[in-house]
């Protein structure tokens, strides 16, 4: 068991390193030094572009510099971005030159962290009577000092903040208010679990199985990676196994990851418990029984057809035997044997007028050996 736990830890560390490498290779980030946002121009801000390929710098949407160096020192206010030919365009960073600025740390703010907000006057002019506000609600007022500490951070601390204060300017004081700054509290992923469908961990070959990975907590975006016997096999919250066979047997785990902050350096992951899946092959007797069942059904249908045919013929023969024979003709009667119908001579082939019927008959001798005429028996027939 200890060996398995150690292996799982190694797999998690390997995936963590791979994720960091992919993040650095696929995403361009703009780092700020000093690490406060928004940065102010009187701090001589240094911007570093992280990514791959040649660097192009933009200021206020226009090309500013094209150079090999990945960092610049900013002396003017404005919105800056950088583009790396191999990893794309970075998120923007705005350098402020306002009279009053509220700054927050330039990093991902996590639940449970201790965070300091600071209110600064233009070119570090002295500020007094500072109040901090979140979504229009005053959090506190400081008569001495310009910083507010929030500890521990909680999700409900997310929102838009600004500060108000009096600023000494030359021989007078003025009341100023800073621009709004968004504060987002992130939650690292935790408690990943796998839910199989069907719920049984033992399935038969040929079945379909769906595994779903979910986390109890974690700020978006959350990505999922699937491991089968310690090897990566798929990505995404669902793993669909179709027409499975014994090769799908083994242990399954999912790794949930969220990458927080603009710099992408705060990466968190959680590894689910192992799910053991056992695929049992179908018994060959089931296949044989299915084949025998189909054959028996065909034979039964064939016997039923033969019996029905025999029964129909027996009924037909019986009806024929039970039919009474025709009465014999009386002595002296004429037995008509057949009637021949012919067309009139010279008539059109399409005409429907027919010649008189020609009757052929056989004579039966009557009493005293004298033949009887047909008119004596059937008068007015013709």
């Amino acid at each position: 068991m200890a060996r398995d736990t150690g292996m799982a830890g190694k797999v998690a560390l390997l995936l963590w390193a791979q994720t960091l490498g992919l993040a650095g290779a696929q995403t361009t980030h703009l780092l700020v030094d000093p690490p406060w946002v928004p940065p102010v121009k009187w701090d001589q801000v240094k911007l570093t572009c992280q990514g791959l390929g040649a660097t192009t710098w933009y200021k206020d949407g226009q090309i500013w510099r094209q150079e090999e160096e990945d960092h610049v020192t900013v002396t003017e206010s404005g919105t800056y971005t950088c583009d790396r030919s191999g990893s794309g365009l970075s998120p923007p960073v705005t350098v402020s030159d306002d009279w009053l600025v509220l700054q927050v740390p330039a990093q991902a703010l996590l639940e449970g962290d201790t965070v300091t907000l600071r209110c600064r006057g233009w070119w570090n002019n002295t500020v007094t009577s500072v109040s901090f506000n979140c979504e229009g609600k005053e959090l506190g007022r400081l008569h001495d000092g310009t910083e507010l500490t929030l500890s521990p951070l909680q999700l409900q601390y997310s929102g838009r903040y600004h500060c108000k204060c009096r600023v000494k300017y030359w021989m007078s004081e003025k009341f100023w208010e800073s621009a709004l700054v968004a504060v987002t509290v992130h939650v690292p992923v935790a408690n990943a679990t796998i839910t199989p469908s069907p719920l049984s961990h033992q399935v038969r070959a040929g079945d379909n199985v769906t595994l779903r990975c979910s986390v109890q907590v974690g700020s978006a975006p959350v990505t999922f990676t699937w491991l089968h016997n310690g090897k990566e096999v798929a990505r995404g919250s669902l793993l669909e196994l179709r027409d499975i066979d014994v090769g799908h047997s083994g242990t399954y785990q999912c790794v949930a990851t969220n990458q927080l902050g603009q710099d992408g350096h705060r990466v968190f992951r959680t590894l689910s418990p192992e799910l053991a899946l056992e695929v049992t092959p179908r018994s060959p007797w089931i296949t044989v029984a299915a084949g025998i069942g189909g054959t028996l059904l065909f034979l039964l249908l064939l016997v039923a057809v033969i019996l029905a045919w025999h029964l129909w013929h027996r009924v037909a023969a019986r009806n024929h035997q039970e039919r009474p024979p025709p009465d014999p003709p009386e002595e002296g009667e004429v037995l008509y044997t057949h009637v021949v119908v012919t067309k009139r001579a010279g008539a059109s082939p399409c005409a429907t007028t027919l010649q008189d019927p020609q009757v052929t008959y056989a004579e039966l001798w009557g009493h005293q050996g004298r033949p009887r005429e047909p008119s004596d028996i059937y008068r007015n027939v013709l």
Side-chain angles (χ1 to χ4, degrees), residues 99-101 118-122 124-132 142-147 163-169 173-174 176:
W99 289 100
L100 187 67
V101 178
R118 63 183 188 180
C119 194
R120 300 179 63 188
W122 183 71
N124 293 326
N125 284 332
T126 303
V127 296
T128 59
S129 188
V130 179
S131 66
F132 293 87
L142 303 177
H143 295 286
D144 295 322
T146 60
E147 297 182 349
C163 64
K164 301 177 182 179
C165 65
R166 293 182 179 276
V167 179
K168 289 185 178 180
Y169 184 69
E173 288 187 345
K174 294 185 177 181
W176 287 342

Side-chain angles (χ1 to χ4, degrees), residues 47-294:
L47 302 179
T48 302
C49 187
Q50 290 189 330
L52 295 177
T55 306
T56 302
W57 292 91
Y58 294 86
K59 178 178 182 292
D60 298 328
Q62 303 295 323
I63 294 180
W64 181 44
R65 293 183 182 180
Q66 289 181 315
E67 53 191 37
E68 295 182 358
E69 293 186 357
D70 60 357
H71 61 274
V72 294
T73 299
V74 176
T75 58
E76 297 179 356
S77 60
T79 299
Y80 295 84
T81 57
C82 69
D83 182 82
R84 301 298 291 266
S85 58
S87 52
L89 190 66
S90 73
V93 170
T94 299
V95 177
S96 175
D97 192 27
D98 293 343
W99 289 100
L100 187 67
V101 178
L102 175 66
Q103 291 183 315
V104 299
Q107 65 181 32
L109 307 180
L110 304 182
E111 188 178 37
D113 282 353
T114 296
V115 175
T116 298
L117 311 180
R118 63 183 188 180
C119 194
R120 300 179 63 188
W122 183 71
W123 289 90
N124 293 326
N125 284 332
T126 303
V127 296
T128 59
S129 188
V130 179
S131 66
F132 293 87
N133 300 267
C134 176
E135 301 292 344
K137 181 180 179 181
E138 184 174 301
L139 301 178
R141 182 178 293 273
L142 303 177
H143 295 286
D144 295 322
T146 60
E147 297 182 349
L148 175 67
T149 299
L150 303 176
S151 180
L153 275 183
Q154 300 178 15
L155 280 178
Q156 58 265 31
Y157 287 0
S158 296
R160 295 176 299 175
Y161 288 72
H162 69 281
C163 64
K164 301 177 182 179
C165 65
R166 293 182 179 276
V167 179
K168 289 185 178 180
Y169 184 69
W170 295 100
M171 302 299 295
S172 62
E173 288 187 345
K174 294 185 177 181
F175 184 80
W176 287 342
E177 182 174 345
S178 71
L180 294 173
V181 177
V183 173
T184 303
V185 180
H186 300 278
V187 180
V189 291
N191 301 332
T193 57
I194 299 177
T195 304
S197 177
L199 295 178
S200 174
H201 293 183
Q202 184 175 9
V203 294
R204 294 188 179 276
D207 292 345
N208 297 328
V209 176
T210 299
L211 304 181
R212 179 186 297 274
C213 187
S214 59
V215 293
Q216 184 176 359
V217 294
S219 298
V222 179
T223 60
F224 300 92
T225 302
W226 287 95
L227 306 178
H228 178 216
N229 295 331
K231 296 181 179 180
E232 181 179 335
V233 293
R235 295 187 179 185
S237 60
L238 290 180
L239 177 61
E240 296 183 343
L241 306 176
R242 300 296 183 186
D243 192 19
I244 63 175
D245 54 32
V246 292
H248 290 91
S249 298
T251 58
Y252 289 83
Q253 285 182 291
C254 74
V255 182
T257 305
N258 59 349
Q259 184 174 330
L260 306 177
Q262 290 186 352
D263 56 8
H265 281 178
R266 306 197 74 173
V267 181
F268 302 89
R269 61 184 28 78
T270 178
L271 188 65
S272 73
E274 291 184 345
L275 173 71
L277 184 67
E278 181 181 356
V279 181
T280 58
R282 292 188 179 274
S283 173
W285 291 105
I286 297 177
T287 305
V288 173
I292 293 175

Side-chain angles (χ1 to χ4, degrees), residues 332-338 359-365 372 374 377:
E333 290 183 342
V334 177
L335 178 62
Y336 290 89
T337 58
H338 62 278
V359 180
T360 302
Y361 59 89
E363 295 184 1
L364 296 179
W365 296 94
R372 300 180 66 178
I377 303 172

